[in-house]
Amino acid sequence: MFSARPRLRGSELDRVVGGWKAVPGTASCIEQAWTRPARPPRWGRWPEGLEQGLRDALLAAGVDRLYDHQAEAIEAALSGRSVVISTPTASGKSLCLHAPVLDRLVR
């Protein structure tokens, strides 16, 4: 899988956001902030329409499975539907964009 940068724990993140809120010029820019509890990942299946050579290349690069939102977004894009993805940092959004583009290029 991807090696992500270390993530801040909830209390560390709260401290950072609290620091931003303490700065008058920054505080007014923060509309709302909350911390969601961690949850285990949800895995999806490789989209049937994804070119096998691309899948093999992703596997060779260490991408051995997809998050469910990646699988759904890639499948939707491959079928010609528009896709909007809104997920946290380091959640795999780039692969949602690049996989369908690379699929098209290798065909």
Side-chain angles (χ1 to χ4, degrees):
M1 293 299 297
F2 301 119
S3 59
R5 286 181 259 161
R7 294 184 183 199
L8 293 175
R9 290 190 171 96
S11 60
E12 295 167 348
L13 183 58
D14 291 338
R15 186 174 42 80
V16 170
V17 172
W20 291 340
K21 288 180 176 180
V23 177
T26 306
S28 63
C29 297
I30 299 173
E31 181 69 29
Q32 184 177 20
W34 69 94
T35 303
R36 299 178 78 173
R39 65 173 175 82
R42 293 186 301 227
W43 303 109
R45 298 177 186 246
W46 288 98
E48 293 293 325
L50 192 64
E51 211 281 326
Q52 185 62 46
L54 175 57
R55 180 178 172 184
D56 293 342
L58 290 169
L59 288 167
V63 181
D64 56 352
R65 56 190 171 172
L66 300 174
Y67 293 119
D68 62 348
H69 71 277
Q70 291 173 311
E72 291 175 24
I74 292 168
E75 182 70 37
L78 290 174
S79 68
R81 297 193 321 257
S82 298
V83 177
V84 174
I85 304 160
S86 175
T87 60
T89 302
S91 61
K93 292 182 291 291
S94 294
L95 187 59
C96 297
L97 166 71
H98 296 299
V101 172
L102 292 170
D103 181 84
R104 181 71 178 255
L105 290 172
V106 298
R107 288 183 187 271

